Amino acid sequence: MSDSWRDDAGLTRRTLLKTTGVVAGAAGLGGCLSGRSPADAATGAAFKGETAFGNCWICYHNCGQQVRVRDDTVVDVTGVDGHPRGSAGAGRNGTVCPKGQTQVDKTHDPERIKRPYVREDGELRAATWDEAFEYAAQRLQAFDEEHGAETFLDATSWAETPITTQLWRNLYGTPERISRGVHVCAGPTFVAGGMMGVGSNSRVPDYQNAEYLIMWGRNVFESFAGQFEAKGVLEALENNGATLVTIDPQHTETAQKSDVWLPIEPRTDGALALAMANVIVEEGLYDETFVEERTYGFDAYREAVEDKTPEWAAEITGLDPGDIREVAVGFAEAAPSAGISVWTGTAQVGNGWKAAQNIIALNGLVGNVDRPGGLRMWQGTPLADPFEVRGVDLPNNAAGKTPALQRYDEYADYPVRHLVGIAHNLVPEMVENGHINGIYCHHDMPLKDGNAEAWLAAIEEMDLVIAVDVYWNGVSRNADVVLPEATQLEKDTLGTGSWSAYNDRQWVTGSKAAVDPQFDTKPDFDIVVGIAEAMGWGEYFPWDSHEEFIDDQLSVHDLTLAEVSGGDRNYELLGEYGYEQWTDDEGWVFRFDLDEVPAFAQAAEEAGMDTAPEWVPPGTYGDETDEEYPLEFYDTRAVFFSHGSTQARPRSREAYARRHDLADRDYRGNYLVINPRDAAERGIETGDMVAVESATGRGELMAYVSERTRPGFVTTEYGFGEGSTQPDEEGLNSMRLHDTQMDPITGQPDRHLAVDVSPTGGE
Amino acid sequence: MGEQWMFYFDPNRCLGCQACSVACKVRHGRDPDADEWRTVHHLRRGEYPDFEDVPISMSCMHCHDAPCEKVCPPNAIEKREEDGIVTVDRDRCIGCHYCGWACPYGAPTYGDDGLMSKCNLCLGEGPGGGAGQPERKTPEEGGSTPACVDNCVGEALKAGPQSEVMAEASRAAAERFENGVYDGRVIVEPVREDDEADALADGDGWLDG
C-alpha cells in the first residue's frame, strides 16, 4: 500500500472544532430545531391524534419509536427524544434508522405469514390457532417418545419474551439450545473477553468521554447496536476533538470520517495488536500501576510481544510501520480516555480467538478498564423473575442431561466441546448422527449463519420443525408447524440492556402495542403459552397477558409497563453506577494469559494454541487462497439490513440498490463488491451477473466494481438468496460458499473463504 | 409575512444511511421505488486505499429565487410569501418538466401521472400536499419537524426559519452562507480544512452516484 496516504489531505478529517475554533456543545446541536413533534396528517401542525410508542426490534437493540396511528394503521415513525438507545442522550433528538423505519410497512405487509399452518400429507395447510397448538403438542409428545426430548433443539434468539427457556428446557426437558451471540455472532470476542475479565464490554467503549477511539473491524456509522453508538462517536469527534481510527480492509463510512484509516490485510488483526503492544511496552507507555496491581500474566504477554515490532507486523498486515507506531502511541498516550470497539469483524474468522485476545489485551496494558473514555464495564438492569414473583414451582426436566456435543465420542476431535454446548456448523452432522432430530426456530435464521446447504438438508431431515416467523423463508416453508408471529408494534414489549447513551445509568424502555395483532397472528408470549397449555403445562404460566408478566418483571423497580410507556416518553433511567467498579472486587484481575482457565487451556492445547497472546497466521484454521481460488471472500453488513430479516422489505432493498447506483435494474439481490483490478482481469463490469465459487459451493449475484474494497478481497451483504426472506430468493446466500470453517475454540463460523469469481454473461 | 425557511446540512455528521430519504417516503406515503424528494448522493474519487466516498443529502432547497417558479408556464409553482416554502398546485401542473430543467438540484420528480411533486418541507402530506396550507410553524409553535430532519441519525439535517437555522450553525457555516456559497440557498457546514470542500463545490474529480 501507499505509505503517503496521510499526506493526502483527502484522508485527513479535521473536526469542526479545528475548523471553526468553536466548540459546538450539546446545546448548540440539540437546539430548538431538533426537537420532536409529530406531524399532523394534513397541515404540518403538531399531530393531535393517536400516537404510540415502540421499542424497535428490527435489530433487537431497542431504540425508542414514536409512531403515528390513523384508522388502526401505523402511518409514520420517529424517535423518542433523550432515549437511551435511540438518541445521543438527555435532551437530544431521538431518531429511527432506515431499517427501523421499515417497521411501519412490516406491520401491515400483505406478504406476511397471515395464519397458522400445519403439515398434512406432506403439504402445509392453513389451520386455526387451536388446531396448530394441538397439532404441535401431539407432534412434540410423539417426538419425545420416538427420539427423546433431549434431541430437540431450542433455537430462540431474540424473542421479545424470555419464557422460551422455561418451555423447552424446564418443561420439555431438552439441554440443546443454540443462540446467536457466542455461536454465530462474535464467539471469540465474547468468550475471550469474559475470560479476560471484561465480558463482552469490548464492543462499546465509553464514547462520550473518549479522546481516542479505535474502531477495530467495526463500521460503527453504518452497523450499530442502537443509534446511540453512531451518535456517541460523533459526539466524541465534535465535543472532545477525539481522534478516530478505523481498522478495516474495506473503505466504509467510518473509515471516511476517521483521522486514520488502516486498510489492513484481512485476518491479520492479531499481528497488528501484538505490534501495538510491542511499541507501548518498549516505549514504557503502559499503565504500570494497573498492570502490576490488577492484571495476571503480564510476563507471558511481554514475552509474546517482545519481537513483534511494527516492522514485523508491516510485512503481515500490509500497513506502514510508522502508522502502526503512530496509532499505538496515540492510543497509549490518550489512555485511559482511549477506547477500542471490537465485535464481529475480527471474530468471524478462523484465527479470531487470538485476534480477540491480542486486541482486548491492549486495554489491560494501557489501564483504560472502566475509566472514563475507555473500556466501560456496563451494568445491566436487574429485572424480577416473574416465576419467582408468582411462586411458580418450575421443574427442571433437563437436569442431568448433557448436550450431545459434550456427550458423544463422535465429537471428541472438536475442541469447542470444552467451552460450548453446541456449535452452529456441527448441527447438520448431529442431525446425521441422530443426536438432533427437531428444532423450534424463533427469531432465528440459521441458513445465513454458516454451511447453508448442509443446514437446508438438515432442516429437511429433521423429524419435527416448528417455525415461529413473520415471513416465509427456507425454514418456515419447510416447517411442520408454522406459527405466524405478530410484529413488534403489535405487541406489548419491555426492553433493557447495559450500554446506552447514558454511561452511568441503568434503564428500561417499555411500550404498549400500537395496534392489535394484524391478520391472524399472535405475539410470541401468547404463542409460547399456547404451546405450553396444549402440552398440559398451563399452570406454570399463570399470567393473563404479556403485560402482566412485564409488570412482574418491573416490580423490582416499583414500576408498571403503563407507567414506563405513559406520558411523553417510553423509558425510565434507573440506578446510577460509577467507574472503576473493579475496585469493589478484591479478587478481580485482568487476564493477559488464560492458563488458569481450565476449559480454555484444554481446548487451546487440543487446537495447538498457546494460552497467552500470540500470532496465529491466516489459514492455520480455515481457508487459504491459492491459484484455483485466488480471492478472499467475506460477507458484510449495510445500514439498510438487520441480519436476514429486512430483506423482505422493499424500502430496504431500494435503499441498498440506490447506494450502489443500481436502482434502475430489476435485480434486487445482493452485490458482489470487487476491486476494478480484479474485475478487469475477469472482464467484469458493474451490473454484470457473476458466479462466485468456493471449494464447496457456488452461487450467482450482481457485481459492483468499486475502489472501496482491496484488490484480492471481495465482499457482499449477507442474508440474501436461497432460503432467505428476500421474496424471490434473489442474490447469493453467501453461506452456500461455506463448509464448516470455524474458530476451533468457540465454534464461531469463519466467514472468510477462498473463492474465484467469473462472469456468467448475464446482466 | 413570515421568515424564509431553509435547510441546513452538516456533511461531517451525515452517515449516508438514507434515514432521511426513507423517512420522507414513509411520512408522505410514497412507494419505495418512487423517485425521491430527498435523496442521498455519494461523491467518490480515488483508488484504494486513497479512496473517498462522501455522502450528500439533497432535496428541494426552497430557494430564495425559486428558478422553478419563474419558468412554470401555468403558474402551478408558488414561492410562498409567508414562509418561503415552494409548493406545487398539481391541479395546475401540466407536466412539462420546465421546472426540472430549471432546478439547480434536480429536485422535481414526475410520477406515473406525469405531474410534478417534490419536497414541501412537510408543510402538508403527499404530492402537492403543501399547496394552500397555512403558514409553516416551528416545533416550538406547534408545527411538525420535517420527516428527514426528525430521523437523521447523525443529526446532520436541520430546517427552520433562516434566523433560527443560522443561530444553530457554526460561525464558519454562517459566514460562508452570507458570502454567497451555494448561492445562499442552503446552509452547509464546511467539510475539512482542505481542498475537499472546494472540490465538492466545483465538482473537481468527483463521480456522483
Side-chain angles (χ1 to χ4, degrees), chain A residues 1-2 4-6 8-16 18-22 27-48 68 70 75-79 81 88 92-98 101-102 104-105 221-222 224 227 230-231 234-235 237-238 248-253 256-257 261 263-264 639-640 650-651 654-656 658-661 668 675 677 704 706-711, chain B residues 5-6 8 10-36 39-40 42-55 121-126 129 133-161 164-173 189-196 206 208-209:
Chain A
M1 66 166 274
S2 139
S4 64
W5 65 265
R6 276 178 306 129
D8 182 326
L11 279 176
T12 310
R13 181 193 54 78
R14 294 194 180 88
T15 61
L16 281 177
K18 295 169 189 162
T19 309
T20 63
V22 173
L29 286 165
C32 56
L33 300 179
S34 309
R36 164 61 196 160
S37 130
D40 191 339
T43 66
F47 183 66
K48 303 284 195 298
R68 193 150 52 100
R70 188 191 301 151
V75 295
D76 196 15
V77 64
T78 185
D81 292 354
R92 297 294 292 277
N93 190 37
T95 55
V96 175
C97 84
Q101 290 179 44
T102 66
V104 174
D105 297 333
F221 286 147
E222 296 176 282
F224 33 75
Q227 300 163 91
K231 295 169 191 274
L234 288 172
E235 295 303 283
L237 297 180
E238 202 157 290
D248 198 320
Q250 185 161 259
H251 181 278
T252 62
E253 186 55 38
Q256 177 67 40
K257 287 189 159 47
W261 170 36
I264 192 169
V639 69
F640 318 113
R651 288 197 204 278
E654 286 299 315
Y656 177 65
R658 285 175 193 271
R659 176 71 176 85
H660 293 82
D661 308 327
R668 286 295 179 269
N675 184 277
R677 279 167 266 186
Y704 175 73
S706 170
E707 294 287 359
R708 153 174 131 198
T709 193
R710 287 175 76 83
Chain B
W5 273 58
M6 339 190 40
Y8 159 103
D10 182 354
N12 304 289
R13 295 188 69 101
C14 173
L15 307 177
C17 73
Q18 300 187 39
C20 53
S21 46
V22 173
C24 175
K25 281 185 166 170
V26 171
R27 170 82 56 95
H28 294 279
R30 304 186 71 230
D31 288 341
D33 59 352
D35 285 342
E36 293 179 318
T39 191
V40 177
H42 284 263
L43 301 176
R44 306 180 181 103
R45 69 175 178 185
E47 290 183 7
Y48 187 96
D50 301 318
F51 173 70
E52 287 186 87
D53 178 318
V54 178
L121 261 163
C122 291
L123 178 66
E125 233 176 67
Q133 295 291 352
E135 185 181 345
R136 188 73 168 85
K137 298 279 195 283
T138 64
E140 285 174 311
E141 299 166 329
S144 70
T145 306
C148 54
V149 175
D150 210 8
N151 274 320
C152 177
V153 176
E155 294 176 271
L157 284 170
K158 295 177 188 185
E164 292 188 27
V165 176
M166 289 284 269
E168 292 194 18
S170 73
R171 193 183 314 149
E189 289 291 346
V191 195
R192 311 156 182 79
E193 205 185 317
D194 55 26
D195 62 351
E196 190 175 304
W206 294 88
D208 179 3

Side-chain angles (χ1 to χ4, degrees), chain A residues 686-697:
Chain A
T686 292
D688 292 351
M689 292 303 290
V690 295
V692 187
E693 195 168 337
S694 71
T696 56

Side-chain angles (χ1 to χ4, degrees), chain A residues 479-502:
Chain A
D480 302 289
V481 189
V482 182
L483 303 174
E485 194 184 357
T487 68
Q488 173 238 312
L489 288 170
E490 304 157 57
K491 32 184 170 179
D492 298 340
T493 55
L494 174 70
T496 186
S498 54
W499 14 263
S500 84
Y502 297 88

Side-chain angles (χ1 to χ4, degrees), chain A residues 340-460:
Chain A
I340 298 171
S341 176
V342 59
W343 196 332
T344 58
T346 60
Q348 299 184 346
V349 49
N351 61 356
W353 179 276
K354 285 300 171 187
Q357 194 178 349
N358 301 355
I359 292 165
I360 294 168
L362 290 165
N363 296 296
L365 189 61
V366 302
N368 68 0
V369 180
D370 214 27
R371 287 174 169 157
L375 186 155
R376 182 65 167 130
M377 293 178 95
W378 299 94
Q379 272 198 22
T381 306
L383 294 173
D385 177 356
F387 292 90
E388 285 180 18
V389 173
R390 299 278 175 137
V392 176
D393 189 17
L394 268 177
N396 184 354
N397 295 331
K401 294 179 181 175
T402 308
L405 182 68
Q406 297 168 343
R407 183 172 165 192
Y408 294 109
D409 289 339
E410 282 93 328
Y411 314 110
D413 290 342
Y414 294 115
V416 297
R417 75 191 189 288
H418 297 295
L419 278 94
V420 294
I422 201 156
H424 173 91
N425 290 350
L426 300 181
V427 170
E429 189 183 330
M430 296 169 82
V431 172
E432 271 179 45
N433 294 337
H435 297 147
I436 300 274
N437 298 300
I439 189 171
Y440 173 83
C441 195
H442 180 184
H443 266 283
D444 210 310
M445 182 20 93
L447 303 178
K448 57 149 182 57
D449 288 330
N451 54 352
E453 295 292 347
W455 259 93
L456 274 163
I459 294 280
E460 289 272 345

Side-chain angles (χ1 to χ4, degrees), chain B residues 24 53 77 83 97 105 107 118 166 172:
Chain B
C24 175
D53 178 318
I77 298 174
D83 48 25
H97 289 228
Y105 301 106
K118 64 169 191 65
M166 289 284 269

